[in-house]
Amino acid sequence: MERAPALSKLAFVGFGEAAMAFAGSWPMRPAQISAYDLKTGPEMAARYRAHGVEGCDRLDLALAGCQAVWCLVTAHQARAAAEAAAVAALPKGTVWLDGNSCA
């Protein structure tokens, strides 16, 4: 069986607890990890730095060149996040992993 190539870039949409857990424990860490979150400011910047993630202030910048996206937003924002990513030119062939939380 042929092995799939390793990811060179992974993006997160939403960078809360779940994203931080995944970013810190990815078994085959991609060369580049980017993230976009609606929350901004010094706390988010520190969160990105602590996890070795490039924080982006625009969704299209976070998605550029990625092969996979972890969407880890709340359930009521999941559809809006997917639609925004489609509009922001999600790269063709990108795997969209929706791991939104729901009660």
Side-chain angles (χ1 to χ4, degrees):
M1 179 182 289
E2 194 173 316
R3 239 182 122 164
L7 291 175
S8 60
K9 183 175 180 188
L10 169 70
F12 286 99
V13 176
F15 204 73
E17 287 183 29
M20 288 188 293
F22 285 118
S25 64
W26 198 262
M28 294 174 48
R29 186 173 172 89
Q32 186 179 12
I33 299 177
S34 61
Y36 171 77
D37 197 291
L38 291 176
K39 295 177 184 171
T40 60
E43 182 180 316
M44 284 303 294
R47 187 181 288 187
Y48 294 140
R49 278 191 308 277
H51 291 86
V53 170
E54 176 190 359
C56 299
D57 59 357
R58 293 187 355 222
L59 181 57
D60 62 325
L61 297 175
L63 298 176
C66 68
Q67 291 87 29
V69 179
W70 261 113
C71 181
L72 296 165
V73 299
T74 58
H76 74 284
Q77 291 296 321
R79 181 176 178 164
E83 289 172 346
V87 170
L90 187 66
K92 185 176 181 174
T94 299
V95 175
W96 182 266
L97 304 163
D98 186 342
N100 73 79
S101 60
C102 59

